Coordinates of all heavy atoms in Angstrom, one line a residue:
M1 N 0.8 -1.2 0.0 CA 0.0 0.0 0.0 C 0.9 1.2 0.0 O 1.7 1.4 0.8 CB -0.9 -0.1 1.3 CG -1.7 1.2 1.5 SD -2.7 0.8 3.0 CE -2.9 2.5 3.5
Q2 N 0.7 2.1 -0.9 CA 1.4 3.4 -1.0 C 0.5 4.5 -0.6 O -0.7 4.5 -1.0 CB 2.0 3.6 -2.3 CG 3.2 2.7 -2.6 CD 4.1 3.2 -3.7 OE1 3.6 3.4 -4.8 NE2 5.3 3.5 -3.3
E3 N 1.1 5.5 0.1 CA 0.3 6.6 0.6 C 1.0 7.9 0.2 O 2.2 8.0 0.3 CB 0.2 6.6 2.1 CG -1.2 6.5 2.5 CD -1.3 6.3 4.0 OE1 -0.8 7.2 4.8 OE2 -1.9 5.3 4.4
N4 N 0.2 8.9 -0.3 CA 0.7 10.2 -0.6 C 1.9 10.2 -1.6 O 2.8 11.0 -1.5 CB 1.2 10.9 0.6 CG 0.0 11.1 1.6 OD1 -1.2 11.2 1.1 ND2 0.3 11.2 2.9
G5 N 2.0 9.2 -2.5 CA 3.1 9.1 -3.4 C 4.4 8.7 -2.8 O 5.4 8.8 -3.5
S6 N 4.4 8.4 -1.6 CA 5.7 8.0 -0.9 C 6.2 6.7 -1.4 O 5.4 5.8 -1.7 CB 5.4 7.9 0.6 OG 6.6 7.4 1.3
Q7 N 7.5 6.5 -1.5 CA 8.1 5.3 -1.9 C 8.1 4.3 -0.7 O 8.4 3.1 -0.9 CB 9.5 5.5 -2.4 CG 10.5 6.0 -1.4 CD 11.8 6.2 -2.0 OE1 12.0 6.2 -3.2 NE2 12.8 6.5 -1.2
Y8 N 7.8 4.7 0.5 CA 7.9 3.8 1.7 C 6.5 3.4 2.0 O 5.5 4.1 2.2 CB 8.5 4.6 2.8 CG 9.9 5.1 2.5 CD1 10.1 6.4 2.3 CD2 10.9 4.2 2.3 CE1 11.3 6.9 1.9 CE2 12.2 4.7 2.0 CZ 12.4 6.0 1.8 OH 13.6 6.5 1.4
R9 N 6.3 2.0 2.0 CA 5.0 1.5 2.2 C 4.7 1.2 3.7 O 5.6 1.0 4.5 CB 4.9 0.1 1.5 CG 5.1 0.2 0.1 CD 5.0 -1.2 -0.6 NE 5.9 -2.1 0.2 CZ 6.5 -3.1 -0.3 NH1 6.5 -3.3 -1.6 NH2 7.3 -3.8 0.5
T10 N 3.4 1.2 4.1 CA 3.1 0.8 5.4 C 2.9 -0.7 5.5 O 2.7 -1.4 4.4 CB 1.7 1.4 5.8 OG1 0.7 1.1 4.9 CG2 1.9 2.9 5.9
D11 N 2.9 -1.3 6.7 CA 2.7 -2.7 6.8 C 1.2 -3.0 6.7 O 0.4 -2.1 6.7 CB 3.3 -3.3 8.0 CG 2.7 -2.8 9.3 OD1 1.7 -2.1 9.2 OD2 3.3 -3.1 10.4
S12 N 0.9 -4.3 6.6 CA -0.5 -4.7 6.4 C -1.4 -4.5 7.6 O -2.6 -4.6 7.6 CB -0.6 -6.1 5.9 OG 0.0 -7.0 6.8
K13 N -0.8 -4.3 8.8 CA -1.5 -4.2 10.1 C -2.2 -2.9 10.2 O -3.2 -2.7 10.9 CB -0.6 -4.4 11.3 CG 0.1 -5.7 11.3 CD 1.0 -5.7 12.5 CE 2.0 -6.9 12.4 NZ 3.1 -6.8 13.4
G14 N -1.7 -1.9 9.5 CA -2.3 -0.5 9.5 C -2.1 0.2 10.8 O -2.9 1.0 11.2
D15 N -1.0 -0.2 11.6 CA -0.8 0.4 12.9 C 0.1 1.7 12.8 O 0.6 2.1 13.8 CB -0.2 -0.6 13.8 CG 1.2 -1.2 13.4 OD1 1.6 -0.8 12.3 OD2 1.8 -2.0 14.1
G16 N 0.4 2.2 11.6 CA 1.2 3.4 11.5 C 2.7 3.1 11.4 O 3.5 4.0 11.6
N17 N 3.1 1.8 11.3 CA 4.5 1.5 11.2 C 4.8 0.8 9.9 O 3.9 0.3 9.2 CB 4.9 0.5 12.4 CG 4.8 1.3 13.7 OD1 5.1 2.4 13.8 ND2 4.5 0.5 14.8
M18 N 6.1 0.7 9.6 CA 6.5 0.0 8.4 C 7.9 -0.7 8.7 O 8.5 -0.3 9.7 CB 6.6 0.9 7.2 CG 7.6 2.0 7.3 SD 7.6 3.0 5.8 CE 8.9 4.2 6.3
N19 N 8.3 -1.6 7.9 CA 9.5 -2.2 8.0 C 10.5 -1.7 7.0 O 10.2 -1.5 5.8 CB 9.4 -3.8 7.9 CG 8.7 -4.4 9.0 OD1 8.8 -3.9 10.1 ND2 8.0 -5.4 8.7
L20 N 11.7 -1.4 7.4 CA 12.8 -1.0 6.5 C 13.9 -2.1 6.6 O 14.3 -2.5 7.7 CB 13.4 0.3 6.9 CG 12.7 1.6 6.5 CD1 13.5 2.8 7.0 CD2 12.4 1.7 5.0
R21 N 14.4 -2.5 5.5 CA 15.6 -3.4 5.5 C 16.8 -2.5 5.3 O 16.9 -1.8 4.3 CB 15.5 -4.4 4.3 CG 16.6 -5.3 4.2 CD 16.4 -6.3 3.1 NE 17.5 -7.3 3.0 CZ 18.2 -7.5 2.0 NH1 18.0 -6.8 0.9 NH2 19.1 -8.4 2.0
I22 N 17.7 -2.5 6.3 CA 18.8 -1.6 6.3 C 20.1 -2.4 6.1 O 20.4 -3.4 6.8 CB 18.9 -0.9 7.7 CG1 17.6 -0.1 7.9 CG2 20.1 0.0 7.7 CD1 17.5 0.6 9.2
K23 N 20.9 -2.0 5.2 CA 22.2 -2.6 4.9 C 23.2 -1.7 5.6 O 23.2 -0.5 5.4 CB 22.4 -2.6 3.4 CG 23.8 -3.2 3.0 CD 23.9 -3.2 1.4 CE 25.2 -3.5 0.9 NZ 25.2 -3.5 -0.5
Y24 N 24.1 -2.3 6.4 CA 25.1 -1.4 7.1 C 26.4 -2.2 7.2 O 26.5 -3.4 7.0 CB 24.6 -1.1 8.5 CG 24.4 -2.2 9.5 CD1 25.4 -2.5 10.4 CD2 23.3 -3.0 9.5 CE1 25.3 -3.6 11.3 CE2 23.1 -4.1 10.3 CZ 24.2 -4.3 11.3 OH 24.0 -5.4 12.1
R25 N 27.5 -1.4 7.5 CA 28.8 -1.9 7.6 C 29.2 -1.7 9.1 O 29.2 -0.6 9.6 CB 29.8 -1.2 6.7 CG 31.2 -1.6 6.8 CD 31.5 -3.0 6.2 NE 31.0 -3.3 4.9 CZ 31.8 -3.3 3.8 NH1 33.0 -3.0 3.8 NH2 31.2 -3.6 2.6
L26 N 29.6 -2.8 9.8 CA 30.0 -2.7 11.1 C 31.5 -2.4 11.2 O 32.3 -2.9 10.4 CB 29.7 -4.0 11.8 CG 29.8 -4.0 13.3 CD1 28.8 -3.1 13.9 CD2 29.5 -5.4 13.9
Y27 N 32.0 -1.6 12.1 CA 33.4 -1.3 12.3 C 33.8 -2.0 13.7 O 33.1 -1.9 14.6 CB 33.6 0.2 12.4 CG 33.5 0.9 11.1 CD1 32.2 1.2 10.6 CD2 34.6 1.2 10.4 CE1 32.1 1.8 9.3 CE2 34.5 1.8 9.1 CZ 33.3 2.1 8.6 OH 33.1 2.7 7.4
I28 N 35.0 -2.6 13.6 CA 35.5 -3.3 14.8 C 36.8 -2.6 15.3 O 37.5 -2.0 14.5 CB 35.7 -4.8 14.6 CG1 36.6 -5.0 13.4 CG2 34.4 -5.5 14.4 CD1 37.0 -6.4 13.1
H29 N 37.1 -2.7 16.6 CA 38.3 -2.2 17.1 C 39.5 -3.1 16.9 O 39.4 -4.3 17.3 CB 38.1 -1.9 18.7 CG 37.2 -0.8 19.0 ND1 37.6 0.5 19.0 CD2 35.9 -0.8 19.2 CE1 36.5 1.2 19.3 NE2 35.5 0.4 19.5
V30 N 40.5 -2.6 16.2 CA 41.7 -3.4 16.0 C 42.9 -2.4 16.3 O 43.1 -1.4 15.6 CB 41.8 -3.9 14.6 CG1 43.2 -4.6 14.3 CG2 40.7 -4.8 14.2
D31 N 43.7 -2.8 17.3 CA 44.9 -2.0 17.7 C 44.5 -0.5 17.9 O 45.2 0.4 17.4 CB 46.0 -2.1 16.6 CG 46.5 -3.5 16.5 OD1 46.6 -4.2 17.5 OD2 46.9 -3.9 15.4
G32 N 43.4 -0.2 18.6 CA 43.0 1.1 18.9 C 42.4 1.9 17.7 O 42.1 3.1 17.8
K33 N 42.2 1.2 16.6 CA 41.5 1.9 15.4 C 40.2 1.2 15.1 O 40.0 0.0 15.4 CB 42.4 1.8 14.2 CG 43.7 2.5 14.3 CD 44.6 2.3 13.1 CE 45.9 3.0 13.3 NZ 46.8 2.7 12.1
L34 N 39.3 1.9 14.5 CA 38.1 1.3 14.0 C 38.3 0.9 12.5 O 38.6 1.7 11.7 CB 36.9 2.3 14.0 CG 36.3 2.5 15.4 CD1 35.3 3.6 15.4 CD2 35.7 1.2 16.0
I35 N 38.2 -0.4 12.3 CA 38.4 -1.0 10.9 C 37.1 -1.6 10.5 O 36.4 -2.3 11.2 CB 39.4 -2.1 11.0 CG1 40.7 -1.7 11.7 CG2 39.7 -2.7 9.6 CD1 41.4 -0.6 10.9
P36 N 36.6 -1.3 9.2 CA 35.4 -1.8 8.7 C 35.5 -3.3 8.5 O 36.5 -3.8 8.1 CB 35.1 -1.1 7.4 CG 36.5 -0.6 7.0 CD 37.3 -0.4 8.2
E37 N 34.4 -4.1 8.8 CA 34.4 -5.5 8.5 C 34.4 -5.7 7.0 O 34.0 -4.7 6.2 CB 33.1 -6.1 9.1 CG 33.2 -6.3 10.6 CD 32.0 -7.1 11.1 OE1 30.9 -7.1 10.5 OE2 32.2 -7.7 12.2
Q38 N 34.7 -6.9 6.5 CA 34.8 -7.1 5.1 C 33.4 -7.2 4.4 O 33.3 -6.8 3.3 CB 35.5 -8.4 4.9 CG 35.8 -8.7 3.4 CD 36.6 -10.0 3.2 OE1 37.0 -10.7 4.2 NE2 36.9 -10.3 2.0
Y39 N 32.4 -7.6 5.2 CA 31.1 -7.8 4.6 C 30.0 -6.9 5.2 O 30.2 -6.5 6.4 CB 30.6 -9.3 4.8 CG 31.6 -10.2 4.1 CD1 32.5 -10.9 4.8 CD2 31.6 -10.4 2.7 CE1 33.4 -11.8 4.2 CE2 32.5 -11.2 2.1 CZ 33.4 -12.0 2.9 OH 34.2 -12.8 2.3
D40 N 29.0 -6.6 4.5 CA 27.9 -5.8 5.0 C 26.9 -6.7 5.8 O 26.9 -7.9 5.6 CB 27.1 -5.1 3.8 CG 27.9 -4.1 3.1 OD1 28.8 -3.4 3.8 OD2 27.7 -3.9 1.9
R41 N 26.2 -6.1 6.6 CA 25.2 -6.8 7.4 C 23.8 -6.2 7.1 O 23.7 -5.1 6.6 CB 25.5 -6.7 8.9 CG 26.7 -7.3 9.3 CD 27.0 -7.1 10.8 NE 28.2 -7.7 11.2 CZ 28.3 -8.4 12.4 NH1 27.3 -8.5 13.2 NH2 29.5 -8.9 12.7
Y42 N 22.8 -6.9 7.5 CA 21.4 -6.4 7.2 C 20.6 -6.5 8.5 O 20.8 -7.4 9.3 CB 20.7 -7.3 6.2 CG 21.4 -7.1 4.8 CD1 22.4 -7.9 4.4 CD2 20.9 -6.2 3.9 CE1 23.0 -7.8 3.2 CE2 21.5 -6.0 2.7 CZ 22.6 -6.9 2.3 OH 23.2 -6.7 1.1
E43 N 19.7 -5.6 8.7 CA 18.8 -5.6 9.8 C 17.4 -5.1 9.3 O 17.4 -4.2 8.5 CB 19.4 -4.6 10.9 CG 18.6 -4.6 12.2 CD 19.0 -5.8 13.1 OE1 19.9 -6.6 12.8 OE2 18.2 -6.0 14.0
I44 N 16.4 -5.6 9.9 CA 15.0 -5.2 9.5 C 14.5 -4.5 10.8 O 14.5 -5.0 11.9 CB 14.1 -6.3 9.2 CG1 14.6 -7.0 7.9 CG2 12.7 -5.9 9.0 CD1 13.9 -8.2 7.5
L45 N 14.2 -3.2 10.6 CA 13.6 -2.4 11.7 C 12.2 -2.0 11.4 O 11.8 -1.7 10.3 CB 14.5 -1.1 11.8 CG 15.9 -1.2 12.3 CD1 16.5 0.2 12.4 CD2 16.0 -1.9 13.6
N46 N 11.4 -2.0 12.4 CA 10.0 -1.6 12.4 C 10.1 -0.1 12.8 O 10.4 0.2 13.9 CB 9.1 -2.4 13.3 CG 7.7 -2.0 13.1 OD1 7.2 -1.2 13.8 ND2 7.0 -2.7 12.2
V47 N 9.8 0.8 11.8 CA 9.8 2.2 12.1 C 8.5 2.9 11.8 O 7.6 2.3 11.2 CB 10.9 2.9 11.2 CG1 12.3 2.3 11.5 CG2 10.6 2.7 9.7
R48 N 8.4 4.1 12.3 CA 7.1 4.8 12.1 C 6.8 5.0 10.6 O 7.7 5.3 9.8 CB 7.0 6.1 12.9 CG 8.0 7.1 12.4 CD 7.8 8.4 13.2 NE 8.9 9.3 13.0 CZ 9.0 10.1 11.9 NH1 8.1 10.0 11.0 NH2 10.1 10.9 11.7
E49 N 5.5 5.0 10.3 CA 5.1 5.3 8.9 C 5.5 6.7 8.6 O 5.4 7.6 9.4 CB 3.6 5.1 8.8 CG 3.0 5.4 7.5 CD 1.5 5.3 7.4 OE1 0.9 4.8 8.4 OE2 1.0 5.8 6.5
G50 N 6.0 6.9 7.3 CA 6.3 8.2 6.9 C 7.7 8.7 7.2 O 8.1 9.8 6.8
I51 N 8.5 7.8 7.8 CA 9.9 8.2 8.1 C 10.6 8.4 6.8 O 10.4 7.6 5.9 CB 10.6 7.2 9.1 CG1 11.9 7.8 9.6 CG2 10.9 5.9 8.4 CD1 12.5 7.0 10.7
D52 N 11.4 9.4 6.7 CA 12.1 9.7 5.5 C 13.6 9.7 5.8 O 14.1 10.7 6.3 CB 11.7 11.0 4.9 CG 12.4 11.4 3.6 OD1 13.2 10.5 3.1 OD2 12.2 12.5 3.1
P53 N 14.3 8.6 5.5 CA 15.8 8.6 5.8 C 16.6 9.7 5.1 O 17.7 9.9 5.5 CB 16.2 7.2 5.3 CG 14.9 6.4 5.3 CD 13.9 7.4 4.9
N54 N 16.0 10.3 4.1 CA 16.8 11.4 3.5 C 16.6 12.8 4.3 O 17.4 13.7 4.0 CB 16.2 11.7 2.1 CG 16.5 10.4 1.2 OD1 17.6 9.9 1.2 ND2 15.5 10.0 0.5
D55 N 15.7 12.8 5.3 CA 15.6 13.9 6.1 C 16.5 13.8 7.3 O 16.6 12.7 7.9 CB 14.1 14.0 6.6 CG 13.9 15.2 7.6 OD1 14.0 16.3 7.1 OD2 13.7 14.9 8.8
T56 N 17.3 14.8 7.7 CA 18.3 14.8 8.7 C 17.7 14.3 10.0 O 18.3 13.4 10.7 CB 19.0 16.2 8.9 OG1 19.5 16.6 7.7 CG2 20.1 16.1 9.9
K57 N 16.6 14.8 10.5 CA 16.0 14.5 11.8 C 15.6 13.0 11.7 O 15.8 12.2 12.7 CB 14.8 15.4 12.1 CG 14.2 15.1 13.4 CD 13.0 16.1 13.7 CE 12.4 15.8 15.0 NZ 11.2 16.6 15.2
D58 N 14.9 12.6 10.7 CA 14.5 11.2 10.5 C 15.7 10.2 10.4 O 15.6 9.1 11.0 CB 13.6 11.0 9.3 CG 12.2 11.6 9.5 OD1 11.9 12.1 10.6 OD2 11.4 11.7 8.5
Y59 N 16.7 10.7 9.8 CA 17.9 9.8 9.7 C 18.5 9.6 11.0 O 19.0 8.5 11.4 CB 18.9 10.5 8.7 CG 20.2 9.6 8.5 CD1 20.1 8.5 7.6 CD2 21.4 9.9 9.1 CE1 21.3 7.7 7.4 CE2 22.5 9.1 8.9 CZ 22.4 8.1 8.1 OH 23.5 7.3 7.9
Q60 N 18.6 10.7 11.9 CA 19.1 10.5 13.2 C 18.3 9.5 14.0 O 18.8 8.7 14.8 CB 19.1 11.9 13.9 CG 20.2 12.9 13.3 CD 21.6 12.3 13.4 OE1 22.0 11.8 14.4 NE2 22.3 12.5 12.3
E61 N 17.0 9.6 13.9 CA 16.1 8.7 14.5 C 16.4 7.2 14.1 O 16.4 6.3 14.9 CB 14.6 9.0 14.2 CG 13.6 8.1 14.8 CD 12.2 8.5 14.4 OE1 11.9 9.6 14.1 OE2 11.3 7.6 14.4
L62 N 16.6 7.1 12.8 CA 16.9 5.8 12.2 C 18.2 5.2 12.7 O 18.2 4.0 13.1 CB 16.9 5.9 10.7 CG 17.0 4.6 9.9 CD1 15.8 3.7 10.2 CD2 17.1 4.9 8.4
I63 N 19.2 6.0 12.8 CA 20.5 5.4 13.2 C 20.5 5.1 14.7 O 21.1 4.2 15.2 CB 21.7 6.3 12.8 CG1 21.7 7.7 13.4 CG2 21.9 6.4 11.3 CD1 22.9 8.5 13.2
K64 N 19.8 5.9 15.5 CA 19.6 5.6 16.9 C 18.9 4.3 17.1 O 19.3 3.5 18.0 CB 18.9 6.8 17.6 CG 19.8 8.0 17.8 CD 19.0 9.1 18.5 CE 19.9 10.4 18.5 NZ 19.1 11.5 19.0
K65 N 17.9 4.1 16.3 CA 17.1 2.9 16.5 C 17.9 1.7 16.0 O 17.9 0.6 16.7 CB 15.8 3.0 15.6 CG 14.9 1.8 15.9 CD 13.5 2.2 15.4 CE 12.5 1.1 15.9 NZ 11.2 1.6 16.0
L66 N 18.7 1.8 15.0 CA 19.6 0.7 14.5 C 20.7 0.5 15.6 O 21.0 -0.7 15.9 CB 20.3 1.1 13.2 CG 21.2 0.0 12.7 CD1 20.6 -1.3 12.4 CD2 21.9 0.5 11.3
S67 N 21.2 1.5 16.2 CA 22.3 1.4 17.2 C 21.7 0.6 18.4 O 22.4 -0.3 18.9 CB 22.7 2.8 17.7 OG 23.6 2.7 18.8
K68 N 20.5 0.9 18.8 CA 19.9 0.2 19.9 C 19.6 -1.3 19.5 O 19.9 -2.2 20.3 CB 18.6 0.9 20.3 CG 17.9 0.3 21.5 CD 16.7 1.1 21.9 CE 16.1 0.5 23.2 NZ 14.9 1.3 23.6
S69 N 19.2 -1.5 18.3 CA 18.8 -2.9 17.8 C 20.1 -3.8 17.7 O 20.0 -5.0 18.1 CB 18.2 -2.8 16.4 OG 17.9 -4.1 15.9
I70 N 21.2 -3.2 17.3 CA 22.4 -4.1 17.1 C 23.3 -3.9 18.3 O 24.4 -4.6 18.3 CB 23.1 -3.8 15.8 CG1 23.7 -2.3 15.8 CG2 22.3 -4.1 14.6 CD1 24.5 -2.0 14.6
N71 N 22.9 -3.1 19.3 CA 23.7 -2.9 20.5 C 25.1 -2.5 20.3 O 26.1 -3.0 20.8 CB 23.7 -4.2 21.3 CG 24.0 -4.0 22.8 OD1 23.8 -2.9 23.3 ND2 24.6 -5.0 23.4
R72 N 25.2 -1.4 19.4 CA 26.5 -0.8 19.1 C 26.4 0.7 19.1 O 25.4 1.2 18.8 CB 27.0 -1.2 17.6 CG 27.3 -2.7 17.4 CD 28.5 -3.0 18.1 NE 28.9 -4.4 17.8 CZ 30.1 -4.9 17.7 NH1 31.1 -4.1 18.0 NH2 30.3 -6.1 17.4
P73 N 27.5 1.4 19.5 CA 27.5 2.8 19.5 C 27.4 3.4 18.1 O 27.7 2.7 17.1 CB 28.9 3.2 20.1 CG 29.5 2.0 20.6 CD 28.8 0.8 20.0
L74 N 26.9 4.6 18.0 CA 26.7 5.2 16.6 C 28.0 5.3 15.8 O 27.9 5.2 14.6 CB 26.2 6.6 16.8 CG 24.8 6.8 17.5 CD1 24.5 8.2 17.7 CD2 23.7 6.1 16.7
N75 N 29.1 5.4 16.4 CA 30.4 5.5 15.6 C 30.9 4.1 15.1 O 31.9 4.1 14.4 CB 31.4 6.2 16.4 CG 32.0 5.4 17.5 OD1 31.2 4.7 18.1 ND2 33.2 5.7 17.9
E76 N 30.2 3.0 15.4 CA 30.7 1.7 15.1 C 30.0 1.1 13.9 O 30.2 -0.1 13.6 CB 30.7 0.8 16.3 CG 31.8 1.1 17.3 CD 31.9 0.1 18.4 OE1 31.3 -1.0 18.3 OE2 32.6 0.4 19.4
F77 N 29.2 1.8 13.2 CA 28.6 1.3 12.0 C 28.3 2.5 11.0 O 28.2 3.6 11.4 CB 27.3 0.5 12.3 CG 26.2 1.4 12.9 CD1 25.3 2.0 12.1 CD2 26.1 1.5 14.3 CE1 24.3 2.8 12.7 CE2 25.1 2.3 14.9 CZ 24.2 2.9 14.1
E78 N 28.0 2.1 9.8 CA 27.7 3.0 8.7 C 26.5 2.4 7.9 O 26.6 1.3 7.4 CB 28.9 3.3 7.8 CG 28.6 4.1 6.6 CD 29.8 4.1 5.7 OE1 30.8 3.4 5.8 OE2 29.7 4.9 4.7
I79 N 25.5 3.2 7.8 CA 24.4 2.7 6.9 C 24.7 2.9 5.5 O 25.2 3.9 5.0 CB 23.1 3.5 7.3 CG1 22.6 3.2 8.7 CG2 22.0 3.2 6.2 CD1 21.4 4.0 9.1
K80 N 24.6 1.8 4.7 CA 24.9 1.8 3.3 C 23.7 2.1 2.5 O 23.7 2.9 1.5 CB 25.4 0.4 2.9 CG 26.7 0.0 3.5 CD 27.8 0.9 3.0 CE 29.2 0.4 3.4 NZ 30.2 1.1 2.7
N81 N 22.6 1.5 2.7 CA 21.3 1.8 2.1 C 20.1 1.2 2.9 O 20.3 0.5 3.9 CB 21.3 1.4 0.6 CG 21.3 -0.1 0.4 OD1 21.0 -0.9 1.3 ND2 21.5 -0.5 -0.8
Y82 N 18.9 1.4 2.4 CA 17.7 1.0 3.0 C 16.7 0.8 2.0 O 16.7 1.5 0.9 CB 17.3 2.0 4.1 CG 17.4 3.4 3.7 CD1 16.5 4.0 2.9 CD2 18.6 4.1 4.0 CE1 16.7 5.3 2.5 CE2 18.8 5.4 3.6 CZ 17.8 6.0 2.8 OH 18.0 7.3 2.4
E83 N 15.7 -0.1 2.3 CA 14.6 -0.3 1.4 C 13.4 -0.7 2.1 O 13.5 -1.4 3.1 CB 14.9 -1.3 0.3 CG 15.3 -2.7 0.8 CD 15.7 -3.6 -0.3 OE1 16.7 -3.3 -1.0 OE2 15.1 -4.6 -0.5
P84 N 12.2 -0.3 1.7 CA 11.0 -0.7 2.4 C 10.7 -2.1 2.1 O 11.1 -2.7 1.1 CB 9.9 0.2 1.8 CG 10.5 0.7 0.6 CD 12.0 0.7 0.7
M85 N 10.0 -2.8 3.1 CA 9.7 -4.2 2.9 C 8.2 -4.3 2.9 O 7.5 -3.6 3.4 CB 10.2 -5.0 4.0 CG 11.7 -5.1 3.9 SD 12.4 -6.3 5.0 CE 11.8 -7.8 4.2

């Protein structure tokens, strides 16, 4: 279901939330430096309907939610891309 021409869909429950599949790169500590892992990881987050990752405020909300979900500080990962599910 698409609303208001948005590329982000709501889930079928109609509870005002949607799922985003987020591709990110985790950084690990090696000899006091943060080194990116060789492979990307994926996480599915349930976020509020209408969140726009291209908006600075919404992006901050998204990375905080991802940080909490993967239990890592904000500086230990980088979001590569995202897509609605």
Side-chain angles (χ1 to χ4, degrees):
M1 172 176 153
Q2 286 201 297
E3 239 175 61
N4 299 334
S6 173
Q7 65 182 8
Y8 304 106
R9 300 178 312 213
T10 59
D11 64 7
S12 59
K13 296 177 196 167
D15 61 358
N17 291 327
M18 65 180 179
N19 291 327
L20 281 182
R21 181 176 183 237
I22 300 175
K23 178 180 174 181
Y24 66 98
R25 178 71 51 101
L26 194 62
Y27 288 78
I28 55 174
H29 290 274
V30 177
D31 297 327
K33 297 178 184 176
L34 283 174
I35 307 296
E37 287 188 333
Q38 186 174 2
Y39 301 102
D40 292 330
R41 296 177 180 222
Y42 295 88
E43 187 78 12
I44 296 174
L45 292 181
N46 187 268
V47 297
R48 67 177 167 78
E49 178 183 347
I51 195 168
D52 181 6
N54 297 315
D55 178 70
T56 304
K57 184 178 176 187
D58 287 352
Y59 183 77
Q60 292 300 317
E61 178 184 335
L62 187 61
I63 62 172
K64 286 178 185 174
K65 190 163 191 151
L66 179 59
S67 174
K68 186 175 180 179
S69 178
I70 63 175
N71 199 26
R72 295 287 187 152
L74 297 174
N75 69 329
E76 290 188 6
F77 65 89
E78 172 189 10
I79 293 179
K80 296 291 195 172
N81 70 14
Y82 40 84
E83 61 185 57
M85 296 192 64

